[in-house]
Amino acid sequence: MRAIRSAVPVDRAPRVAAPPVEPYRIKVVEAITLPSAEEREHALRRAGFNVFNLLSEEVFVDLLTDSGTSAMSDRQWAGLMVGDESYAGSRNFVHFEETVRELTGFPHILPAHQGRAAEHLLFGQLAHPGDIVPNNMHFDTTRAHVLHVGARPLDLAVPEAYDCEDRSPFKGNVDTRKLSALLSGPLAAKVPLVVVTLTNNTGGGQPVALANLKEVARICREHRKPLYLDICRWAENAYFIRTGEPGQGARSIREIGREIFDLADGAVMSAKKDGLVNMGGFVATRDPGLASRLKEDLILFEGFPTYGGLARRDLEAIAIGLREATDERYLEHRVGQVRFLAALLDAHGVPMMQPPGGHGVYLDVGRFLPHLSPEQHPGQALVVELYREGAVRAVEIGSIMFEDPSGKERSPLDLVRLAIPRRVYTESHLRYVAETVARVWARRDSVRGLAMVEAPERLRHFTARFAPLVG
Ligand SMILES: *Cc1c(COP(=O)(O)O)cnc(C)c1O
């Protein structure tokens, strides 16, 4: 099943092959407009130089996140119309539960309003004050939820995950030697569960190899620790396994997925990613005792177990979207868009995390703005500059998102993510983004730093305010 490629020569960047042609056509459009330079400057000031405070109408191409920003299919929209909004026992829940069970094999499925709600439930039950939770790399909300219960998040990614120039294909892998040492060492009793995030969002959307997952599962079994997966981008991860891991090329995404899930005790998922919906998530587990405790918490925090904080029609859209996300032509186009944007930027010499991952291009801030010191918040300065240049909205994934507020621990990676929403933008939007980034790259020496003038204690990247440094 090969995707159709454009036969039209790409004139403006002859060295870059076009991405696969969209395996869909557009039925509904949403107008976007490019604000003037003056309007962008005004918007930045009002927003306190934090693009989370911009109105979406002030943005031209919005690459802030791929979370909940997917375009739903006609079938998903049709699914909303067969919503059965019964408080209990809705048929949409039945369809949702059947689908998640069929795809994952996990017997107990609890819907939640989004990924962090699933994390709240899972860590609320499994992690306790003083515990240590290992993960390849914690994403922002995962980290915050581990901290919220008084436990310590510990990142155990392989060393190459921290090297933007290393081109290993599975940089999301767990350092199994370190995991083994942790679980055989004096702190082993403090580890309530092991988590692996597919793909590694914090480290560039890098995939985890099936061989690595098998080894992690073996170590967890040996030490009797439950293994939970963050599967919000599992289909993208399975696509990398299919196309990049020896012996996997003939297998379907669902087969690979099923082998991955069979290794684990359960999972959390933000369906806002590979569920192709705007809202939703779930927790899944094989443990019936845990499932009933989770159910009690679910009723307290989210809602009755057959809706879990969602409209029942949303569960229908998730059930349909989860299947659509396993279509190989869709995934080839999706990952192809990311690779295309990376190739355009690479042709200009723009430094980024290589190889490009599954859901976005991550610019390497240290090599982009080497003249700015960490105190000048170069990642945020780059995000601001991309907006200033072309109303492109990106996000800092580095010290502001991950440094602890005391400033003692600096994030080992300083990246700016250009996340590509699913089925939303076309090749020409990506060309526009590449040209915007390339113009900032050409005048990078002129980019000045920022001071953080307001910083909340937790998840501060969402609401902090900044001011330009003068001089
Ligand atoms: C998005 C995300 C979450 C949290 O999901 P939300 O639906 O945004 O609450 C958790 N883990 C990872 C890796 C994510 O990318």
Side-chain angles (χ1 to χ4, degrees), residues 21 64 111 120 163 194 226 236 240 246 264 313 363 400 406 419 463-464:
V21 171
L64 181 72
H120 179 210
D163 180 354
V194 173
E236 289 168 10
F240 281 98
R313 56 183 177 272
L363 304 176
I400 296 167
S406 70
T463 51

Side-chain angles (χ1 to χ4, degrees), residues 65-68 113-119 137-142 197-202 230 232-233 268-273 279-281 359 417:
T65 179
D66 64 319
S67 178
H113 79 272
Q114 62 183 99
R116 73 198 67 182
E119 294 171 337
M137 276 191 211
H138 287 82
F139 194 57
D140 59 349
T141 58
T142 322
T197 306
L198 312 176
T199 57
N200 176 10
N201 188 2
T202 307
D230 179 333
C232 63
R233 297 184 182 82
V268 285
M269 178 164 187
S270 167
K272 296 166 72 178
K273 283 78 174 226
M279 208 50 170
H359 65 288
R417 183 184 69 183

Side-chain angles (χ1 to χ4, degrees), residues 154-390:
L154 180 65
D155 290 350
L156 291 183
V158 287
E160 58 266 31
Y162 297 97
D163 180 354
C164 287
E165 290 170 88
D166 184 302
R167 292 194 179 238
S168 306
F170 291 99
K171 289 165 76 173
N173 282 356
V174 176
D175 188 327
T176 49
R177 289 220 331 259
K178 279 196 189 156
L179 179 65
S180 216
L182 174 71
L183 297 184
S184 345
L187 296 174
K190 288 185 179 293
V191 178
L193 78 165
V194 173
V195 185
V196 183
T197 306
L198 312 176
T199 57
N200 176 10
N201 188 2
T202 307
Q206 302 291 323
V208 182
L210 184 56
N212 185 256
L213 284 165
K214 284 184 186 166
E215 180 59 10
V216 169
R218 192 196 60 73
I219 295 167
C220 289
R221 267 198 314 277
E222 182 187 332
H223 298 280
R224 296 200 170 76
K225 299 292 183 190
L227 171 61
Y228 278 79
L229 304 174
D230 179 333
I231 59 169
C232 63
R233 297 184 182 82
W234 74 268
E236 289 168 10
N237 199 104
Y239 178 78
F240 281 98
I241 290 174
R242 182 181 195 274
T243 54
E245 203 166 342
Q248 301 297 322
R251 303 178 74 197
S252 71
I253 298 300
R254 290 190 202 179
E255 265 180 279
I256 295 169
R258 194 51 197 269
E259 187 172 0
I260 293 172
F261 302 131
D262 285 349
L263 295 167
D265 296 281
V268 285
M269 178 164 187
S270 167
K272 296 166 72 178
K273 283 78 174 226
D274 281 354
L276 289 167
V277 289
N278 306 119
M279 208 50 170
F282 61 84
V283 196
T285 182
R286 295 187 200 285
D287 177 343
L290 176 65
S292 51
R293 296 199 306 278
L294 286 171
K295 214 168 258 186
E296 286 178 35
D297 290 346
L298 182 73
I299 294 169
L300 180 63
F301 293 117
E302 292 284 299
F304 191 72
T306 60
Y307 71 85
L310 293 162
R312 275 56 70 194
R313 56 183 177 272
D314 290 335
L315 293 169
E316 190 64 29
I318 298 172
I320 299 166
L322 284 169
R323 287 182 197 279
E324 289 181 357
T326 63
D327 175 13
E328 276 136 38
R329 278 166 308 171
Y330 153 77
L331 285 165
E332 180 171 26
H333 171 260
R334 160 102 186 117
V335 176
Q337 278 205 326
V338 177
R339 288 184 178 150
F340 175 65
L341 177 59
L344 289 176
L345 293 172
D346 203 35
H348 287 283
V350 173
M352 72 192 94
M353 173 62 87
Q354 289 284 8
H359 65 288
V361 170
Y362 289 59
L363 304 176
D364 181 357
V365 174
R367 282 185 294 150
F368 203 116
L369 298 175
H371 61 288
L372 296 185
S373 71
E375 292 69 35
Q376 296 171 310
H377 302 295
Q380 190 65 21
L382 180 51
V383 167
V384 164
E385 224 54 47
L386 295 174
Y387 178 75
R388 182 174 271 143
E389 184 66 41

Side-chain angles (χ1 to χ4, degrees), residues 22 62 90 147 150 175 196 203-204 230 242-243 271 287 297 300 368 393 395 423 426 431 442 450:
E22 282 73 13
D62 201 348
S90 160
L147 291 169
D175 188 327
V196 183
D230 179 333
R242 182 181 195 274
T243 54
D287 177 343
D297 290 346
L300 180 63
F368 203 116
R393 178 155 64 170
V395 74
R423 306 191 291 207
T426 62
R431 286 188 186 283
L450 296 166

